[in-house]
Amino acid sequence: MKSADLILQAGGFGAIVLDLGGIAPEFVSRVELGMWHRYRVAAERTQSSIILLTQHVSAKSSAELLLRLHPAEMVLNEATVFTGTQPRAEVARHRFQERGSNVLPIRKPPQNANIACWQNRTSWAGQR
């Protein structure tokens, strides 16, 4: 945690990944919310992104975006052959949603999507 703080304060990094996924949730929850807030402020100041990987929500109100990754489903084209996976990610919370305005845009705005699904195929499955 201290080294991540020093890297954030130094700046010069586009993204910093803090992987706490292998640590038990009860230990990650002991990190004070003030530290996550300090990380967010430092990331905004240095114009970098900090990505926190955990098993459970821990940054709470300091998080800009909360993504929930669901277990991937297996893709079986034949009854016994594994041909790939189909992961799914969803936006659980977005801190600053864009507000509507009275001005009509010239172009159609991008569609709001909260769930993304994609498919990974094995090399032996061939092209489809």
Side-chain angles (χ1 to χ4, degrees):
M1 299 301 287
K2 181 87 171 171
S3 60
D5 193 20
L6 292 173
I7 290 171
L8 270 170
Q9 298 298 330
F13 295 93
I16 299 159
V17 179
L18 188 57
D19 186 2
L20 301 177
I23 299 174
E26 55 267 10
F27 295 119
V28 177
S29 65
R30 290 183 188 171
V31 178
E32 297 176 5
L33 289 176
M35 180 170 283
W36 300 126
H37 179 71
R38 187 170 63 241
Y39 281 6
R40 181 177 60 86
V41 170
E44 288 174 356
R45 185 179 48 79
T46 59
Q47 295 182 349
S48 62
S49 299
I50 183 162
I51 300 167
L52 177 64
L53 303 174
T54 62
Q55 295 177 20
H56 297 283
V57 178
S58 53
K60 296 186 172 76
S61 63
S62 296
E64 168 77 25
L65 179 69
L66 176 63
L67 288 177
R68 183 164 289 125
L69 302 175
H70 298 279
E73 297 175 7
M74 291 192 305
V75 176
L76 302 171
N77 288 346
E78 290 80 24
T80 59
V81 178
F82 169 76
T83 56
T85 60
Q86 186 172 357
R88 187 168 61 105
E90 99 179 84
V91 176
R93 186 176 68 86
H94 194 305
R95 188 169 188 210
F96 296 113
Q97 299 279 340
E98 289 187 26
R99 303 285 182 220
S101 69
N102 294 334
V103 178
L104 294 174
I106 295 174
R107 295 188 182 127
K108 182 179 175 183
Q111 297 298 312
N112 188 8
N114 289 330
I115 296 177
C117 296
W118 62 96
Q119 194 173 60
N120 303 321
R121 298 188 51 81
T122 58
S123 59
W124 62 79
Q127 296 287 348
R128 294 250 173 174

